[in-house]
Amino acid sequence: MNPTKSFVREKRIYCGEEYFEVDLFEMTDFSQKGRKEKKGKSKLKQIKANEKNSRRYFIQLVNTNFTDKDFCVHCTYNRESMPKTVEEAEKNIKNYIRRLQSRRKKEGLPAMKYIIVTEYRQKEDGTPTRIHHHIIMDGLLSRDIVDDLWRKKKSKGEKKGQTLGMINVDKLQPDEFGLQALALYLTKGLTGRKKWHPSINLKKPVVKKNDYKYSRRKLMELSQLTDCNSVWQKLYPGYLLTEATGIYTDERGWIIHVKMRRDKGAAFYHSGNSSGIKRIRES
């Protein structure tokens, strides 16, 4: 029987129109009759791989949807308002989002784009402590309004409900990696637990796969050229290299991860959407 064939897969991930990633890796063709993929990963390795992939997708989702015009909101509780359960905290943050959405509707704004991250620690008996929230949201509402609505539901006779605690509304500050640093901060944490919930109107990163574009020899060659900006910028015109890494494993061979950002000085770039090549808008 002939040995199982392999090929190189190019996986492009377009994170909006500013950020772009490429994965190059060898795949094995299991289409031959009688061939089955080996189950080589242990449960622990699979859990770690899932966590890594989840964190990477979070970064891509943030870079796809948010810019320096948007906010990261940090919501904390005062002693009197501290939730006793995670469920109570999540109810508070949902009510806060409803108030924001209601205010936006009054001002004729579209539904808010957001990602909520709820963070807390657990005591030895399992009860949560130090519960707080981070929200990445679009910046269409003013900071003052976003700040002012972090309150309890108003009681009879009150003009406004009592504040739940301190809130900071910060402008997002992307760098050459976009908002990766913030996304890592919100998803990394050796202690405690975190949950994140996106709004349903977020755009998803666009993924395009292309097989057989590169040979195995070319993959090996590129694995030694990860620090050569000109090589990658020639392969993917319209983008500047931010970072490229090559990893070799006995199981899968060479795997290359490339991160790029749009070259605003270029005449054209590939947007990843159905319209394909786009001309850079003149500023």
Side-chain angles (χ1 to χ4, degrees):
M1 184 178 291
N2 293 331
T4 306
K5 293 182 179 180
S6 64
F7 59 89
V8 174
R9 169 164 290 174
E10 177 201 48
K11 182 179 177 183
R12 300 187 183 196
I13 306 111
Y14 295 89
C15 303
E17 296 190 351
E18 296 296 324
Y19 304 99
F20 170 63
E21 298 183 19
V22 184
D23 292 343
L24 300 175
F25 50 93
E26 197 168 356
M27 294 281 291
T28 304
D29 187 353
F30 291 101
S31 62
Q32 297 181 31
K33 188 176 181 180
R35 297 282 184 178
K36 293 184 178 180
E37 187 173 2
K38 294 180 180 179
K39 297 180 180 179
K41 283 189 177 179
S42 68
K43 187 175 180 180
L44 181 59
K45 282 185 177 180
Q46 189 61 56
I47 290 172
K48 288 184 177 180
N50 291 343
E51 289 177 349
K52 183 178 180 181
N53 291 335
S54 177
R55 186 174 293 119
R56 185 182 181 192
Y57 179 72
F58 183 86
I59 295 168
Q60 292 169 349
L61 191 66
V62 170
N63 274 339
T64 300
N65 289 277
F66 301 98
T67 70
D68 58 359
K69 296 178 181 178
D70 302 320
F71 300 141
C72 185
V73 182
H74 309 278
C75 304
T76 62
Y77 293 94
N78 54 38
R79 186 175 298 177
E80 296 75 22
S81 304
M82 181 61 68
K84 294 182 174 58
T85 64
V86 176
E87 290 73 22
E88 183 184 346
E90 291 182 340
K91 183 178 179 181
N92 288 336
I93 206 68
K94 287 178 182 178
N95 288 337
Y96 176 54
I97 295 295
R98 287 194 193 100
R99 286 193 289 274
L100 290 169
Q101 296 283 38
S102 178
R103 183 59 180 264
R104 291 169 71 97
K105 190 174 181 180
K106 288 180 182 178
E107 297 194 11
L109 297 173
M112 186 170 67
K113 291 166 52 175
Y114 63 85
I115 302 176
I116 301 170
V117 179
T118 297
E119 183 178 358
Y120 57 95
R121 296 189 180 184
Q122 283 185 321
K123 297 179 181 179
E124 292 184 1
D125 61 2
T127 57
T129 183
R130 298 183 65 181
I131 301 175
H132 57 283
H133 312 276
H134 310 279
I135 311 169
I136 303 175
M137 66 169 69
D138 69 58
L140 295 181
L141 274 179
S142 74
R143 287 193 192 188
D144 288 342
I145 293 174
V146 173
D147 185 308
D148 188 58
L149 291 177
W150 180 236
R151 297 175 177 276
K152 298 178 182 179
K153 184 177 179 181
K154 65 180 180 180
S155 302
K156 188 176 180 180
E158 288 184 329
K159 188 175 180 180
K160 290 183 179 180
Q162 296 180 2
T163 59
L164 287 163
M166 292 292 294
I167 182 170
N168 290 319
V169 184
D170 299 326
K171 272 273 192 176
L172 296 180
Q173 300 180 33
D175 56 20
E176 61 181 346
F177 290 91
L179 296 164
Q180 174 177 297
L182 173 65
L184 286 174
Y185 168 73
L186 295 183
T187 54
K188 275 185 178 177
L190 299 178
T191 60
R193 296 181 59 190
K194 300 186 181 186
K195 295 181 178 181
W196 60 279
H197 304 284
S199 59
I200 61 174
N201 57 348
L202 294 184
K203 294 179 181 179
K204 294 182 179 180
V206 176
V207 178
K208 293 184 178 292
K209 297 176 183 178
N210 187 9
D211 296 338
Y212 302 102
K213 177 179 178 179
Y214 297 106
S215 65
R216 186 169 182 269
R217 179 179 293 180
K218 185 65 174 178
L219 177 67
M220 294 174 66
E221 177 188 331
L222 290 173
S223 71
Q224 306 305 308
L225 299 172
T226 53
D227 59 345
C228 296
N229 293 27
S230 59
V231 170
W232 298 101
Q233 289 163 194
K234 185 177 180 180
L235 289 171
Y236 302 101
Y239 291 90
L240 298 173
L241 180 68
T242 299
E243 179 183 71
T245 57
I247 302 171
Y248 182 83
T249 67
D250 292 334
E251 294 177 345
R252 300 188 61 187
W254 279 105
I255 303 171
I256 302 175
H257 299 295
V258 183
K259 295 180 180 179
M260 308 188 79
R261 61 194 186 279
R262 183 160 66 87
D263 181 2
K264 296 181 180 179
F268 297 93
Y269 72 102
H270 198 294
S271 64
N273 61 25
S274 58
S275 62
I277 303 296
K278 283 191 174 184
R279 181 184 291 274
I280 300 294
R281 293 179 181 175
E282 294 182 1
S283 58

